[in-house]
C-alpha cells in the first residue's frame, strides 16, 4: 500500500512542478509578445510618418512645378504645414513666388494658384492658404 501512495505522491509533485514551469514559461512568452508588439507598433508609426513625409514632399514638388507654369517667370517655393493624410482642415500651405521686379503676378494667376491648392487638399480652408510675392532685383 505504501508503494501505491508513494507513486501517487510522486505523480502529484511531478504534476505540480510541471504546472509551475508551464506557468513561468507562459508568463515569459506573454511579456515577450508585448515587447514585440510595442516595437512593431513603433516601427509601424515610424513607417507611416516616413510615408506621410514623402507624400508631403512629393506634393510640394508637384505644386511648385504646376505653379511655375501658372505664374510664368517666377520661382515658387511651396511649404506645407500640419499635413495629415486624411484630414486637411488643419493643413496650411504657404506659397512664396520669387520673381523679377518687372514681372507682375496677375490676380487671375493668384486665383488659379489658390484653386490648384484647394483642389489638391480635400477640405483645406481658404484662410489656410497664403501666397506671398518676393521681388528680386535683376
Amino acid at each position: 500500500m505504501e508503494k501505491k501512495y508513494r507513486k501517487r505522491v510522486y505523480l502529484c509533485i511531478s504534476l505540480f512542478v510541471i504546472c509551475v514551469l508551464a506557468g513561468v514559461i507562459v508568463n515569459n512568452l506573454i511579456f515577450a509578445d508585448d515587447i514585440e508588439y510595442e516595437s512593431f507598433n513603433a516601427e509601424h508609426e515610424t513607417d507611416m510618418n516616413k510615408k506621410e513625409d514623402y507624400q508631403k514632399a512629393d506634393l510640394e514638388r508637384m505644386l511648385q512645378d504646376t505653379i511655375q507654369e501658372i505664374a510664368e517667370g517666377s520661382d515658387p517655393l511651396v511649404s506645407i504645414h500640419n499635413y495629415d493624410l486624411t484630414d486637411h482642415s488643419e493643413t496650411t500651405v504657404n506659397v512664396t513666388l520669387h520673381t523679377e521686379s518687372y514681372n507682375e503676378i496677375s490676380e487671375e494667376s493668384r486665383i488659379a494658384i489658390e484653386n490648384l491648392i484647394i483642389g489638391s487638399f480635400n477640405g483645406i480652408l481658404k484662410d489656410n492658404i497664403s501666397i506671398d510675392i518676393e521681388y528680386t532685383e535683376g
Side-chain angles (χ1 to χ4, degrees):
M1 270 272 248
E2 278 187 28
K3 282 188 171 185
K4 205 179 207 185
Y5 288 118
R6 192 178 295 164
K7 286 182 180 179
R8 287 184 183 171
V9 169
Y10 286 141
L11 181 64
C12 287
I13 291 174
S14 298
L15 288 174
F16 177 75
V17 169
I18 290 172
C19 287
V20 169
L21 289 175
V24 169
I25 291 171
V26 167
N27 191 27
N28 286 339
L29 289 176
I30 288 173
F31 285 120
D33 280 349
D34 285 345
I35 292 170
E36 286 180 27
Y37 290 132
E38 287 175 354
S39 114
F40 173 76
N41 286 337
E43 288 175 17
H44 180 68
E45 283 185 22
T46 301
D47 289 344
M48 289 304 290
N49 288 340
K50 284 181 184 178
K51 179 180 179 183
E52 196 170 279
D53 289 342
Y54 288 136
Q55 284 185 339
K56 179 180 138 188
D58 285 342
L59 189 54
E60 286 174 340
R61 278 190 294 274
M62 185 273 306
L63 286 171
Q64 285 174 180
D65 292 344
T66 308
I67 290 170
Q68 190 168 23
E69 292 177 17
I70 293 171
E72 293 178 9
S74 68
D75 185 22
L77 175 64
V78 176
S79 57
I80 301 171
H81 304 282
N82 299 325
Y83 182 70
D84 188 334
L85 289 173
T86 56
D87 180 22
H88 299 298
S89 62
E90 297 295 319
T91 301
T92 60
V93 178
N94 300 322
V95 177
T96 304
L97 299 172
H98 299 277
T99 187
E100 301 289 330
S101 58
Y102 60 82
N103 187 16
E104 189 64 34
I105 305 297
S106 68
E107 187 63 29
E108 291 85 20
S109 294
R110 286 177 183 244
I111 292 170
I113 292 169
E114 197 171 82
N115 288 335
L116 171 70
I117 294 169
I118 288 171
S120 299
F121 296 93
N122 187 21
I124 191 171
L125 302 174
K126 215 172 192 182
D127 292 339
N128 291 352
I129 301 170
S130 70
I131 301 172
D132 300 317
I133 300 173
E134 289 188 12
Y135 294 102
T136 58
E137 296 297 323

